[in-house]
Amino acid sequence: MNHWQELEHKYYMQTTERIPLTLVRGQGARVWDEHGRQYLDFVAGWGVDSLGHCHPVVVDAVSEQMRTLIQTSNQFYTIPQIRLAELLVQHSCLDRVFFCNSGAEANEGAVKLARRYGKHHLNGAYEVITAKVSFHGRTLAMVAATGQNKYQEPYTPLPVGFINVEYNDIEAIKAATGGSTCAVMLEAIQGEGGVNVPDADYLPAVRAWCDRNGILLILDEIQTGLGRTGTLFAYEQFGIEPDIISLAKGLAGGLPIGAVLAKERAAVFKAGEHGTTFGGNPVTCAAGYAVLNFILENDVTHSVMETGKYFAERLRDLGQKFNFVTEVRGRGLLLAMEFDREIARSVLTSCLERGLLVNKVKPVALRFMPPLIVRRDEVDEAIAILGQALSLVES
Ligand SMILES: Cc1ncc(COP(=O)(O)O)c(C=O)c1O
């Protein structure tokens, strides 16, 4: 353990099982540790560094805004916030935006909005149906929304108003719907749960069910949004329009931001019913505008789709060579490789030793979410390292 890691153990709450690596610098799809060793970064801040590390459009937008206006409070109008909201509305099926600071906070906002809608239009209905193996964040209410015992059990009793049902099972949603239901909240593709892509007819069936019952469909696009899956939003690939979406992660290219977007009919907050001190501040919104504008102007979603297909093919090629690889799945640049045994940690360590950062999403699966601007030669380099790491596993 090095000096910094010893200090961390002494002073920091031990909430995260960290990888023994202290990062000091990043550029593009690469990061460097304190000894100057470089790594290809296929974790990208947990799917956050969408344009890679320290992309000039983000650095310039933030630097310029830092010299101009940093924080005002939401009592006043600020231009970066309005510009980013306009751009998001112009390029989505939603009509109104609220900015906050993180994914969990965006989901809290989405659920509060659904509860307000329930009070206005559904006789006070407040329950939200969510999925098992989902991940919606770490606040108490989002722990209740997250259908995983390991996140819930340490904090019981949990806030009421959430029913967790099987993912990819429309009958489970139908059975859970009742007079108290105001919304269904799902990830378009489950990220932390292991990159679980639903069947093509699942989300359309959920959409139809919500319409039939007059309840709202909230899609958590915190991990899948902003180009990650090869379209600006993952809902586009399932042929549906949600009533509310939550965004965060890649939106501001590494700065902390969250957003709730809603259709006009669902955007029922009135003045004073929701708020934030830092959310939507000029600096993060300037970064968000720069990132989204870059994605749109450079057709980044198209290259995510192409590079993602190439990457998935190369991963499948590796899967052919190693019989303990059971599946490669995902969309765009949100991909996972599943094994028939618990080797994700040791494969991760072998990759790390060879200069590649990957994510252990489950004991039996690795997740790959490189920056959206990753190049094919960088994918090839990652595949070569992963191939070496897999060859060390005893079959
Ligand atoms: C789908 C999804 N929702 C919500 C969150 C929570 O976001 P945050 O950690 O910014 O609160 C995450 C984080 O991984 C996520 O993947």
Side-chain angles (χ1 to χ4, degrees), residues 209-228:
W209 179 251
C210 289
D211 288 342
R212 204 166 128 193
N213 290 276
I215 58 179
L216 299 175
L217 175 57
I218 305 171
L219 280 192
D220 177 339
E221 289 247 22
I222 285 164
Q223 191 156 145
T224 53
L226 282 313
R228 172 62 52 193

Side-chain angles (χ1 to χ4, degrees), residues 102-105 107 135-138 187 192 220 222-223 248-249:
S102 69
E105 202 185 335
N107 283 335
F135 188 81
H136 297 296
R138 303 288 197 150
E187 289 160 89
E192 300 294 316
D220 177 339
I222 285 164
Q223 191 156 145
K249 288 203 183 279

Side-chain angles (χ1 to χ4, degrees), residues 65-214:
Q65 192 58 48
M66 290 292 275
R67 281 191 291 268
T68 310
L69 184 66
I70 299 176
Q71 162 73 358
T72 62
S73 93
N74 278 307
Q75 280 184 92
F76 305 103
Y77 296 89
T78 51
I79 295 165
Q81 181 183 98
I82 300 162
R83 290 180 76 209
L84 179 56
E86 181 185 35
L87 202 59
L88 281 167
V89 167
Q90 283 169 344
H91 294 277
S92 72
C93 69
L94 293 312
D95 303 309
R96 286 187 186 272
V97 181
F98 174 84
F99 291 118
C100 51
N101 308 287
S102 69
E105 202 185 335
N107 283 335
E108 289 272 346
V111 168
K112 283 176 76 179
L113 191 56
R115 284 196 178 197
R116 285 308 290 150
Y117 186 87
K119 278 208 200 285
H120 283 297
H121 300 295
L122 300 168
N123 296 318
Y126 63 94
E127 256 170 19
V128 178
I129 300 171
T130 66
K132 292 185 181 165
V133 201
S134 59
F135 188 81
H136 297 296
R138 303 288 197 150
T139 59
L140 260 188
M142 285 313 112
V143 164
T146 293
Q148 296 197 54
N149 189 49
K150 67 174 176 183
Y151 295 118
Q152 296 186 339
E153 193 277 325
Y155 301 107
T156 52
L158 298 174
V160 295
F162 296 94
I163 304 181
N164 310 141
V165 303
E166 288 302 322
Y167 188 62
N168 202 23
D169 180 352
I170 182 64
E171 296 309 320
I173 289 179
K174 288 183 180 175
T177 306
S180 301
T181 311
C182 67
V184 176
M185 179 163 89
L186 299 167
E187 289 160 89
I189 294 171
Q190 289 188 326
E192 300 294 316
V195 189
N196 306 318
V197 184
D199 294 340
D201 58 357
Y202 175 62
L203 291 175
V206 179
R207 175 70 276 178
W209 179 251
C210 289
D211 288 342
R212 204 166 128 193
N213 290 276

